Amino acid sequence: MTRFVSGAFRLRGRASRSEYWWWMIVNVVVLALAQLVLPALISGRTPQPTLLVGPFGSWLFATIELINWNQTDAPSSPAAAFFLILAGLWLILTVIPGFTVAVRRFHDSNLSGWWGLLVLVPIGSYVLLLLAARRSRLEGMRFDV
């Protein structure tokens, strides 16, 4: 996570698989706690999320129903609303670092960072997750300049 934070706004260079996947694990845990578990425990309602996985981490829960409340229903307690707001702030603050670590991960496997635009295609997020799982390649050193 130290490498992730130190390279949060850097597109050049490479990110190892461990740097990328540790970031993804931390991000999924934070978002799951803030958007699903804590509001459900506080309000006593069970969330019904639709999982959509994205390669940048921050987009993992960004495009799903946070908690399947009725349209006229708001979270029943201020604490549940606070955690939902906290999750939104987390998404805003980590979208750029999540994108840059994904670009550096693609560089490490000798792919251009432009592959990240595949996230705009509906099935592209799943393809990008598979590309992020590729092993490091020596040819990827060309991105270290």
Side-chain angles (χ1 to χ4, degrees):
M1 285 308 296
T2 305
R3 287 185 292 171
F4 169 76
V5 171
S6 67
F9 298 100
R10 191 185 56 187
L11 288 171
R12 292 182 185 258
R14 300 181 292 163
S16 65
R17 281 193 284 193
S18 64
E19 180 181 349
Y20 178 79
W21 290 108
W22 274 111
W23 153 245
M24 289 293 284
I25 289 170
V26 167
N27 193 49
V28 166
V29 167
V30 168
L31 288 175
L33 283 174
Q35 289 184 341
L36 303 174
V37 176
L38 294 174
L41 289 175
I42 291 168
S43 67
R45 301 171 108 176
T46 305
Q48 300 295 323
T50 308
L51 185 61
L52 177 65
V53 178
F56 306 140
S58 293
W59 294 17
L60 183 65
F61 294 109
T63 58
I64 65 171
E65 298 175 46
L66 299 180
I67 292 183
N68 197 14
W69 309 105
N70 292 334
Q71 294 292 4
T72 59
D73 252 355
S76 59
S77 78
F82 170 76
F83 284 113
L84 291 175
I85 291 170
L86 186 67
L89 288 174
W90 175 265
L91 288 170
I92 290 168
L93 292 175
T94 60
V95 70
I96 291 175
F99 176 76
T100 59
V101 76
V103 167
R104 291 193 321 271
R105 178 68 207 119
F106 298 145
H107 288 173
D108 190 48
S109 62
N110 197 32
L111 295 171
S112 170
W114 288 102
W115 278 92
L117 293 178
L118 202 56
V119 75
L120 301 173
V121 178
I123 193 89
S125 295
Y126 300 106
V127 172
L128 290 178
L129 281 173
L130 291 174
L131 292 177
R134 290 172 34 137
R135 67 176 175 81
S136 298
R137 306 225 193 291
L138 286 176
E139 297 85 14
M141 287 192 301
R142 66 186 173 115
F143 294 104
D144 287 341
V145 180

